[in-house]
Amino acid sequence: MYLNINTDLTVDQKAYINSTKQFADEHIINNSIEWDKKQIFPKEVLKKSAGLGLAGIYVPEKDGGTGLTRLDASLIFEELAYACPSTSAFLSIHNMTAWMLSQFGSDELKNKYMKKITSMESISSYCLTEPGSGSDANAMITKGLPDSNNSSLNINGSKSFISGAGESDLYFVMMKTEINNRDESSCVIIEKSSEGISFGKNEEKMGWKNQPTRVVAFDQCIAPFENIVGKPGDGFKIAMQGLDGGRINIASCSLGAARFCIDKSIAYINERKQFGKFLKEFQNIQFKIADMITDYNAARLMVHEAAKALDNKQSDTTLRSAMAKKFATDVCYNICNEALQIHGGYGYLSEYGIEKMVRDCRVHQILEGTNEIMKVIISRNIIGN
């Protein structure tokens, strides 16, 4: 590790990072390329991570979580992403669902699912995006209609690009509900074993190959009314608050990939000779490394500031999260791509791990709201519309 990134951290934060690094070194980093090639979903490793408290990182201890801050979580996801961005990103999705249930769920619903989620006995996926709506959460058409006595919901519709679909045990589904004659959105937990739920083919993707991505379809799928997270109509609020944290998490995953690529590049230029000189002696290479390190540090500062804003419940959390997500995912992708260029043909080979980082990081500029949507959010927060 060439970058000294832990100088401003607390003793506890350094301990979280060290234990996470130890776990990633033992279980993830040496397996990540094989998982990617063979499209292996590392279920058992994910379940083992729960033993470190990584399945409920910012869930309060009273609900069975680790009780850490969003800043702590950012540090953890970065360290996991250093080993494998795709694995870290999926774990961040699971953590998002755990937080949703902890933050908004009734005591009855928590008693039903919380322990299973924080122990990863039940792996969870988050279902917001639909084939025709993309980043427009208000445009979703998946609908859950209550029966006459509000004991169950009859759900029809579909969700697309769902990470973990077909493998996860629980699905936190955003949908339209018409309860008390109101048109509203709600978040509903649906079990994999529910009648009327089905899954499409595993999508062939550029990156994130070690986690399945499928359509989740609902055809007269019945879910208990009490599986609504929070109150009926809270869905949009839950989704938007979840996205603030999700954007910080995915930006943190980009940081881990970028730091991996910087470390690999520094090691490479110290050992590789060209035209009788080490690569590190060429000014062009020195400038590339300088830009990579500067951009990484700037992105890390933005992500950490956004995480602190979320921890402190600041009014500008959405703005800071959008800026951090846009900037970090853009520059970190560029860092990974530059590292590939520095490695030349070797960077293009899978065994070096660089090309996987490029592929895995590319989608970070799209999910949790595209970076074009981030620009809309940023401009509207500053200048209005």
Side-chain angles (χ1 to χ4, degrees), residues 166-366:
E167 294 286 348
S168 291
D169 306 288
L170 300 175
Y171 298 86
F172 284 63
V173 184
M174 297 296 170
M175 67 184 70
K176 296 287 187 181
T177 50
E178 295 180 1
I179 300 168
N180 300 320
N181 296 317
R182 292 183 299 172
D183 184 17
E184 58 202 1
S185 62
S186 302
C187 177
V188 182
I189 299 176
I190 301 176
E191 298 181 9
K192 181 182 178 181
S193 59
S194 300
E195 186 176 349
I197 186 173
S198 61
F199 307 96
K201 68 178 181 66
N202 188 13
E203 304 287 1
E204 294 292 334
K205 309 185 296 293
M206 176 180 176
W208 279 25
K209 289 179 176 289
N210 77 332
Q211 53 169 290
T213 301
R214 294 184 172 95
V215 167
V216 182
F218 309 99
D219 183 9
Q220 297 189 45
C221 178
I222 305 300
F225 191 86
E226 60 265 23
N227 273 26
I228 296 176
V229 181
K231 299 176 182 177
D234 281 351
F236 186 76
K237 177 179 70 174
I238 294 172
M240 292 304 101
Q241 290 189 27
L243 283 173
D244 283 345
R247 287 163 183 160
I248 294 169
N249 291 346
I250 208 64
S252 303
C253 291
S254 293
L255 291 173
R259 180 158 55 86
F260 172 90
C261 288
I262 291 171
D263 281 351
K264 281 282 189 179
S265 296
I266 294 174
Y268 183 73
I269 66 173
N270 273 283
E271 65 185 29
R272 170 75 169 171
K273 280 188 172 182
Q274 197 72 42
F275 305 111
K277 297 167 63 177
F278 286 106
L279 290 185
K280 68 177 181 179
E281 298 179 65
F282 291 91
Q283 191 176 66
N284 181 48
I285 297 295
Q286 294 168 5
F287 284 2
K288 285 179 184 291
I289 296 295
D291 284 341
M292 291 161 72
I293 292 174
T294 301
D295 287 348
Y296 164 79
N297 277 283
R300 197 168 193 259
L301 286 170
M302 287 190 73
V303 173
H304 288 187
E305 285 302 309
K308 291 173 186 175
L310 188 55
D311 283 328
N312 296 329
K313 297 180 172 59
Q314 294 175 203
S315 59
D316 62 349
T317 294
T318 296
L319 171 63
R320 287 183 177 274
S321 299
M323 290 193 297
K325 191 266 182 182
K326 181 217 166 293
F327 185 76
T329 58
D330 279 347
V331 302
C332 289
Y333 173 77
N334 291 339
I335 289 169
C336 295
N337 195 46
E338 195 68 90
L340 193 154
Q341 191 71 18
I342 288 172
H343 280 76
Y346 294 108
Y348 205 64
L349 302 180
S350 62
E351 65 186 272
Y352 284 78
I354 303 291
E355 62 86 31
K356 178 183 181 297
M357 292 297 182
V358 173
R359 290 187 289 105
D360 279 352
C361 277
R362 182 59 183 87
V363 75
H364 296 183
Q365 296 166 294
I366 296 171

Side-chain angles (χ1 to χ4, degrees), residues 2-297:
Y2 288 90
L3 292 179
N4 184 9
I5 61 170
N6 299 333
T7 55
D8 60 340
L9 304 181
T10 67
V11 172
D12 286 343
Q13 287 170 335
K14 291 177 182 177
Y16 305 145
I17 289 176
N18 288 337
S19 62
T20 302
K21 183 181 185 304
Q22 184 177 352
F23 178 84
D25 286 348
E26 182 177 352
H27 298 289
I28 300 176
I29 197 164
N30 293 324
N31 297 313
S32 62
I33 292 176
E34 182 183 7
W35 293 344
D36 178 80
K37 286 181 178 178
K38 298 180 179 179
Q39 299 187 29
I40 296 171
F41 185 53
K43 242 181 179 179
E44 294 309 310
V45 171
L46 291 170
K47 289 179 181 290
K48 284 180 181 177
S49 74
L52 284 180
L54 300 184
I57 297 171
Y58 40 88
V59 170
E61 292 181 11
K62 66 180 178 62
D63 286 337
T66 312
L68 302 183
T69 67
R70 295 294 187 133
L71 176 57
D72 299 332
S74 174
L75 296 167
I76 289 169
F77 291 133
E78 177 181 345
E79 200 60 48
L80 290 169
Y82 187 97
C84 178
S86 177
T87 303
S88 182
F90 184 81
L91 197 55
S92 80
I93 294 168
H94 179 90
N95 271 269
M96 182 193 297
T97 64
W99 169 82
M100 287 176 175
L101 179 56
S102 172
Q103 184 78 4
F104 299 100
S106 65
D107 289 340
E108 292 76 15
L109 201 57
K110 290 181 186 180
N111 289 337
K112 186 176 182 181
Y113 292 120
M114 198 80 243
K115 185 176 180 180
K116 291 181 178 180
I117 292 174
T118 55
S119 67
M120 252 188 169
E121 177 184 342
S122 293
I123 297 175
S124 301
S125 287
Y126 175 56
C127 306
L128 174 63
T129 303
E130 296 190 0
S133 63
S135 296
D136 186 358
N138 277 324
M140 62 185 176
I141 60 174
T142 297
K143 185 173 290 187
L145 297 178
D147 61 12
S148 57
N149 58 359
N150 283 354
S151 63
S152 64
L153 294 167
N154 187 324
I155 302 161
N156 291 277
S158 65
K159 298 291 180 177
S160 59
F161 303 115
I162 304 305
S163 294
E167 294 286 348
S168 291
D169 306 288
L170 300 175
Y171 298 86
F172 284 63
V173 184
M174 297 296 170
M175 67 184 70
K176 296 287 187 181
T177 50
E178 295 180 1
I179 300 168
N180 300 320
N181 296 317
R182 292 183 299 172
D183 184 17
E184 58 202 1
S185 62
S186 302
C187 177
V188 182
I189 299 176
I190 301 176
E191 298 181 9
K192 181 182 178 181
S193 59
S194 300
E195 186 176 349
I197 186 173
S198 61
F199 307 96
K201 68 178 181 66
N202 188 13
E203 304 287 1
E204 294 292 334
K205 309 185 296 293
M206 176 180 176
W208 279 25
K209 289 179 176 289
N210 77 332
Q211 53 169 290
T213 301
R214 294 184 172 95
V215 167
V216 182
F218 309 99
D219 183 9
Q220 297 189 45
C221 178
I222 305 300
F225 191 86
E226 60 265 23
N227 273 26
I228 296 176
V229 181
K231 299 176 182 177
D234 281 351
F236 186 76
K237 177 179 70 174
I238 294 172
M240 292 304 101
Q241 290 189 27
L243 283 173
D244 283 345
R247 287 163 183 160
I248 294 169
N249 291 346
I250 208 64
S252 303
C253 291
S254 293
L255 291 173
R259 180 158 55 86
F260 172 90
C261 288
I262 291 171
D263 281 351
K264 281 282 189 179
S265 296
I266 294 174
Y268 183 73
I269 66 173
N270 273 283
E271 65 185 29
R272 170 75 169 171
K273 280 188 172 182
Q274 197 72 42
F275 305 111
K277 297 167 63 177
F278 286 106
L279 290 185
K280 68 177 181 179
E281 298 179 65
F282 291 91
Q283 191 176 66
N284 181 48
I285 297 295
Q286 294 168 5
F287 284 2
K288 285 179 184 291
I289 296 295
D291 284 341
M292 291 161 72
I293 292 174
T294 301
D295 287 348
Y296 164 79
N297 277 283

